[in-house]
């Protein structure tokens, strides 16, 4: 065995065995002079020892010298992230042998992975660019923070958008799933501005439509998830009121405005849970009760079903809202216009002609027989200007709306 090279801390040895050369290393400070096998060379093939969980050897085929992507003294790949991935992230049921070539195509054959050297080098170039961009971004974030803390620092504020490829790679479904509706809107504004760069109306229209569709899907998915949580827990009326107050104009596009009805003189002391104005200026009153609220009771003497006391009270309240609104239609319209006026706008023009009341209460699980369902249908269809909606019916509407947007 002959010594063929010396570094600051290592001695490199060569051993000839038949048509092969075996290369070893020895640490100078090792008093036992232990020699560690690095690789074997046979013709233009290098068999390199690798201490991976699954990969124990990397074979380089068709090379006159060991490529620079691997450390010639052992220890694996030069690039740490590549080293760690092949060492720890590859399992034996995936591959147990890695072959790096110059000519053949990259592929997987049984448990052997073949990779082209030029493709690996391109990958390493991208990794290095990513790391440099990441380091640059870190520096920018630190500088921006210091300027924010004390403007006397002589650093210019910079935007952290210096890696276009990184940004484009992250524009995928996984990112969309994590974004809120407000964040989608922020991206949308950038999206439209970017489209205007090319002064193409067809491109702007297509991009705007796609953005709107994705924003609707994301918003509805978020709303449905929250709705299901409230429904499963039979939430209090106040929680449903907060939910509808925040989201109804998003999932029911008929509505353009919400009104603070308590600011309007009504002549009654009880107020609707929600007052909405649709896109045509007509008013709807909402009464929201619990999803577990009992709906109907059986009258054994007449062999029929009737509204429970709680539901009858809600219907009575809703009827009272409608009656007061009709009696005071002109003054209500005038008051609404006045309280919604701003410096730039005269206020809402609303129509209080045949207003509607929508009661949302109960769920279809309570109607557990065909007879109950039939009587409930008859009872709610007998209501004048009042729509009675079950909570799970509204959930089905939301899901159907989401499906139609996805297919559109």
């Amino acid at each position: 065995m002959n010594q063929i090279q010396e570094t600051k801390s290592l001695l490199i040895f060569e051993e000839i065995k038949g048509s092969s050369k075996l290369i070893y290393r020895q640490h100078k400070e090792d008093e036992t002079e232990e020699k560690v096998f690095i690789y074997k060379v046979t013709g233009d093939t290098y068999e390199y020892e690798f201490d991976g969980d699954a990969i124990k050897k990397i074979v380089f085929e068709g090379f006159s010298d060991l490529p620079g992507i691997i450390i010639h003294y052992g220890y694996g790949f030069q690039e740490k992230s590549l080293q760690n991935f092949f060492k720890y992230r590859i399992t034996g049921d995936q591959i147990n042998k890695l072959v790096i070539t110059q000519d053949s195509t990259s592929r997987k054959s049984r448990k052997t992975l073949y990779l082209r050297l030029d493709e690996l080098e391109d990958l390493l170039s991208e990794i290095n660019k990513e790391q440099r961009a990441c380091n640059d971004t870190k520096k920018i974030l630190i500088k921006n923070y210091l300027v924010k803390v004390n403007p006397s620092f002589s650093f210019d504020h910079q935007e952290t958008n210096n890696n276009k490829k990184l940004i484009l790679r992250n524009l995928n479904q996984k990112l969309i799933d994590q974004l809120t509706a407000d964040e989608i809107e922020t991206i949308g504004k950038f999206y439209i501005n970017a489209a205007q760069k090319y002064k193409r109306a067809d491109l702007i229209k297509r991009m705007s439509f796609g953005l709107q569709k994705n924003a609707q899907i994301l918003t509805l998915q978020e709303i449905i998830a929250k709705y299901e949580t409230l429904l499963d827990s039979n939430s209090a009326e106040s929680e449903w009121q907060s939910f509808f107050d925040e989201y109804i104009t998003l999932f029911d596009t008929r509505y353009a405005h919400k009104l603070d009805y308590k600011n309007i003189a009504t002549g009654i002391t009880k107020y609707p849970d929600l007052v909405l104005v649709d896109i045509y200026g007509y008013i709807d009153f909402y009464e929201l009760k619990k999803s577990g609220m009992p709906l109907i009771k059986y009258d054994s003497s007449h062999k029929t079903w009737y509204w429970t006391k709680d539901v009858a009270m809600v219907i009575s309240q809703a009827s009272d809202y409608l009656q007061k609104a009709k009696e005071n239609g002109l003054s209500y319209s005038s008051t609404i216009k006045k309280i919604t006026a701003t410096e730039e706008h005269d206020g809402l023009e609303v129509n209080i002609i045949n207003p509607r009341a929508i009661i949302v209460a109960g769920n279809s699980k309570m109607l557990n027989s065909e007879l109950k369902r039939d009587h409930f249908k008859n009872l709610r269809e007998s209501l004048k200007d009042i729509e009675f909606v079950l909570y799970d019916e509204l959930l089905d509407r939301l899901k159907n709306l989401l499906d139609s947007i996805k297919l559109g």
Side-chain angles (χ1 to χ4, degrees):
M1 186 178 294
N2 301 317
Q3 180 182 327
I4 59 173
Q5 190 178 354
E6 181 177 355
T7 71
K8 185 176 180 180
S9 59
L10 296 174
L11 299 174
I12 306 301
F13 295 88
E14 175 186 272
E15 180 183 12
I16 304 298
K17 279 194 174 180
S19 60
S20 299
K21 289 189 297 185
L22 280 63
I23 307 300
Y24 299 83
R25 71 170 180 262
Q26 175 191 318
H27 281 271
K28 289 180 178 179
E29 296 179 359
D30 186 355
E31 295 180 355
T32 64
E33 298 184 351
E34 179 186 9
K35 294 177 176 58
V36 178
F37 177 59
I38 305 174
Y39 60 86
K40 180 174 75 171
V41 187
T42 306
D44 60 0
T45 299
Y46 291 72
E47 296 181 23
Y48 186 99
E49 295 295 294
F50 190 73
D51 187 25
D53 288 348
I55 300 172
K56 302 301 180 183
K57 186 175 294 185
I58 301 174
V59 179
F60 294 86
E61 291 183 345
F63 294 93
S64 59
D65 195 7
L66 198 60
I69 65 168
I70 206 84
I71 300 173
H72 289 201
Y73 308 129
Y75 313 112
F77 288 99
Q78 298 275 6
E79 164 55 45
K80 186 176 179 180
S81 57
L82 198 65
Q83 167 75 2
N84 289 338
F85 192 93
F86 281 110
K87 187 172 182 178
Y88 301 116
R89 298 297 298 274
I90 298 295
T91 59
D93 59 343
Q94 295 172 316
I95 62 171
N96 56 25
K97 185 178 179 182
L98 179 61
V99 178
I100 298 175
T101 72
Q102 296 210 81
D103 301 319
S104 62
T105 57
S106 297
R107 68 193 187 280
K108 181 176 180 291
S109 177
R110 297 185 179 178
K111 290 193 176 183
T112 299
L113 180 63
Y114 294 84
L115 297 177
R116 284 179 59 94
L117 177 63
D118 56 353
E119 293 177 354
L120 269 179
E121 288 174 337
D122 288 342
L123 171 63
L124 290 172
S125 177
E126 289 298 312
I127 291 172
N128 290 332
K129 289 178 184 176
E130 196 93 359
Q131 289 174 340
R132 286 196 297 272
C134 183
N135 290 334
D136 290 343
T137 297
K138 291 175 184 178
K139 293 174 186 176
I140 290 170
L141 290 173
I142 294 169
K143 289 192 294 183
N144 289 348
Y145 169 71
L146 292 177
V147 171
K148 180 181 177 181
V149 170
N150 191 331
S152 66
F153 280 107
S154 58
F155 301 128
D156 292 329
H157 182 276
Q158 289 179 262
E159 297 298 332
T160 57
N161 59 354
N162 58 323
N163 191 338
K164 183 176 71 173
K165 288 187 177 180
L166 175 61
I167 294 169
L168 293 175
R169 272 202 304 276
N170 283 321
L171 295 178
N172 52 41
Q173 184 61 45
K174 187 175 181 180
L175 176 64
I176 292 174
D177 294 339
Q178 296 176 17
L179 293 173
T180 65
D182 288 341
E183 289 167 340
I184 282 283
E185 185 176 3
T186 300
I187 292 174
K189 291 174 182 176
F190 171 82
Y191 194 57
I192 301 305
N193 290 336
Q196 291 173 340
K197 173 182 177 182
Y198 298 101
K199 308 297 182 185
R200 282 180 51 188
D202 63 320
L203 178 63
I204 295 171
K205 185 176 181 180
R206 187 168 69 250
M207 292 174 73
S208 299
F209 178 78
L211 170 68
Q212 183 183 32
K213 180 178 177 179
N214 284 336
Q216 283 180 303
I217 290 172
L218 176 71
T219 301
L220 275 174
Q221 287 172 334
E222 183 180 335
I223 289 170
I224 288 170
K226 291 184 179 181
Y227 193 106
E228 289 176 329
T229 300
L230 290 172
L231 191 59
D232 290 342
S233 59
N234 189 27
S235 298
E237 293 173 18
S238 59
E239 293 182 87
W240 281 115
Q241 289 171 20
S242 297
F243 175 84
F244 274 75
D245 186 62
E246 182 174 0
Y247 292 113
I248 192 164
T249 55
L250 296 177
F251 68 74
D252 195 330
T253 54
R254 292 175 301 171
Y255 297 119
H257 303 281
K258 289 180 296 183
L259 296 179
D260 185 355
Y261 200 64
K262 295 178 183 179
N263 288 334
I264 304 170
T266 60
I268 56 175
T269 55
K270 174 101 176 124
Y271 302 97
D273 292 325
L274 204 58
V275 181
L276 297 163
V277 181
D278 70 17
I279 56 176
Y280 302 107
Y282 291 95
I283 292 253
D284 282 349
F285 303 109
Y286 270 76
E287 271 298 305
L288 308 169
K289 298 302 176 183
K290 293 187 70 172
S291 59
M293 181 180 185
L295 299 172
I296 55 177
K297 291 186 69 173
Y298 186 65
D299 179 355
S300 57
S301 59
H302 295 90
K303 299 186 183 306
T304 188
W305 295 81
Y306 61 95
W307 294 119
T308 62
K309 180 181 176 181
D310 288 340
V311 173
M313 289 177 62
V314 177
I315 293 172
S316 177
Q317 286 173 2
S319 299
D320 197 27
Y321 302 148
L322 295 175
Q323 183 60 34
K324 290 292 192 298
K326 291 173 184 177
E327 290 173 356
N328 302 280
L330 290 176
S331 62
Y332 284 6
S333 296
S334 176
T335 304
I336 290 170
K337 184 172 182 178
K338 184 183 296 183
I339 66 171
T340 57
T342 65
E343 186 176 345
E344 295 81 16
H345 302 286
D346 293 335
L348 290 176
E349 295 280 356
V350 299
N351 299 305
I352 308 189
I353 301 170
N354 293 327
R356 288 191 317 156
I358 293 93
I359 297 170
V360 186
N363 65 80
S364 59
K365 292 178 182 178
M366 300 170 180
L367 308 172
N368 54 6
S369 71
E370 187 175 352
L371 187 62
K372 282 185 182 180
R373 289 190 289 273
D374 288 343
H375 279 268
F376 175 75
K377 181 175 181 291
N378 291 336
L379 285 169
R380 72 171 168 182
E381 287 181 353
S382 68
L383 299 174
K384 180 174 172 56
D385 298 326
I386 296 175
E387 181 182 354
F388 200 111
V389 183
L390 303 174
Y391 275 98
D392 53 337
E393 287 179 333
L394 185 52
L395 177 60
D396 287 340
R397 291 184 192 178
L398 292 177
K399 289 181 176 179
N400 289 337
L401 176 60
L402 176 61
D403 289 339
S404 67
I405 292 172
K406 287 180 176 179
L407 294 173

